[in-house]
Amino acid sequence: MSASNVKTHWEKVYTTKATDQVSWYRPHLEISLSLIERAAAGLLASIIDVGGGESTLVDDLLARGHQNITVLDISQTAFDVTKKRLKELAARVNWITADVTKANLAPSAYDVWHDRAVFHFLTSIEQRTAYVNTVRHAVKQGGHVIVGTFGPEGPTKCSGLDVMRYDAESLHDQFGTRFRLVESLKELHHTPFSTTQQFLYCYCRIE
Ligand SMILES: C[S@@+](CC[C@H](N)C(=O)[O-])C[C@H]1O[C@@H](n2cnc3c(N)ncnc32)[C@H](O)[C@@H]1O
């Protein structure tokens, strides 16, 4: 799928579906929150949520007092919805509307990189290489990278798009030896449609 088609796809999703009527919706991203709390050295840590969409992660990070939050997503529609929900708090967040595989992020800008359910959409080696190069460029040495994808028993499609499935070893392999695997964990996500999806999270430190 071309980059412009990817954007068109996600704008259509967020124009036609309510926040809590998409398969990936959870009221709170509990695993992400607990890993970010472990990774972030304090409330001034620079955190980027890649493909944040309309998720409540940013609400919860703000509520916990985090002061340096960036959310990146390809969909402007998703950001419009999230900003409306956050009201005046939205001004405390840096919003980047971009395709992560083409984003021009500042060097060593982030202490914590978080991605739930974006990397698994990158089905070509070129897209994955571009993503990993962006992580290497944008995350500080000693920073942390949290990536959640579908697990080995997860679905083969999401939002009508093909996805990759990973176990801890194959996901870690995508990033390479500079990324030290601190922990991996699986989650059985209950969708709003009473189905389940297996997720796999890798939590790494860049050395
Ligand atoms: C399955 S949703 C997950 C949303 C959120 N992370 C969550 O867990 O609730 C995937 C998100 O990634 C965004 N996305 C997909 N491809 C992207 C890309 N190449 N660059 C940036 N964002 C992308 C979509 O717009 C969407 O918000």
Side-chain angles (χ1 to χ4, degrees):
M1 194 187 265
S2 73
S4 66
N5 286 349
V6 173
K7 181 169 174 62
T8 305
H9 172 86
W10 289 104
E11 296 295 8
K12 186 171 172 205
V13 167
Y14 286 119
T15 308
T16 55
K17 291 185 192 294
T19 299
D20 60 356
Q21 290 303 307
V22 289
S23 59
W24 53 91
Y25 174 76
R26 300 178 68 78
H28 302 280
L29 303 190
E30 300 90 344
I31 289 184
S32 299
L33 276 168
S34 74
L35 292 175
I36 291 170
E37 289 297 359
R38 273 175 62 188
L43 296 176
L44 294 178
S46 177
I47 302 167
I48 183 166
D49 181 22
V50 173
E54 296 180 1
S55 96
T56 59
L57 185 66
V58 62
D59 310 48
D60 288 335
L61 291 173
L62 285 165
R64 288 168 186 223
H66 286 283
Q67 292 172 37
N68 198 346
I69 307 168
T70 298
V71 187
L72 179 150
D73 202 282
I74 203 165
S75 169
Q76 184 58 47
T77 311
F79 279 171
D80 292 344
V81 171
T82 308
K83 286 180 183 175
K84 201 169 166 192
R85 185 179 72 228
L86 287 169
K87 302 192 180 77
E88 64 277 7
L89 292 179
R92 298 192 191 169
V93 177
N94 305 308
W95 304 93
I96 302 177
T97 308
D99 180 332
V100 63
T101 65
K102 300 186 184 340
N104 200 6
L105 301 177
S108 301
Y110 304 104
D111 298 298
V112 183
W113 175 285
H114 171 267
D115 159 355
R116 175 177 181 264
V118 185
F119 186 73
H120 64 198
F121 288 107
L122 306 182
T123 52
S124 77
I125 182 83
E126 292 79 13
Q127 290 172 312
R128 293 193 293 274
T129 302
Y131 180 106
V132 172
N133 285 342
T134 300
V135 179
R136 285 201 182 109
H137 168 80
V139 180
K140 295 174 191 173
Q141 189 171 0
H144 292 90
V145 179
I146 299 158
V147 178
T149 65
F150 284 153
E153 286 136 42
T156 55
K157 281 184 180 279
C158 179
S159 186
L161 303 177
D162 289 337
V163 295
M164 308 291 288
R165 297 183 293 179
Y166 295 97
D167 59 19
E169 195 183 352
S170 60
L171 182 54
H172 180 239
D173 280 351
Q174 297 292 323
F175 288 84
T177 49
R178 260 192 73 206
F179 293 69
R180 182 171 59 79
L181 184 62
V182 180
E183 191 178 333
S184 68
L185 47 138
K186 289 185 185 142
E187 172 187 51
L188 198 59
H189 166 60
H190 292 260
T191 74
F193 319 118
S194 303
T195 57
T196 55
Q197 298 176 332
Q198 186 194 52
F199 274 75
L200 179 277
Y201 294 81
C202 275
Y203 166 43
C204 300
R205 183 175 191 274
I206 300 194
E207 312 216 300

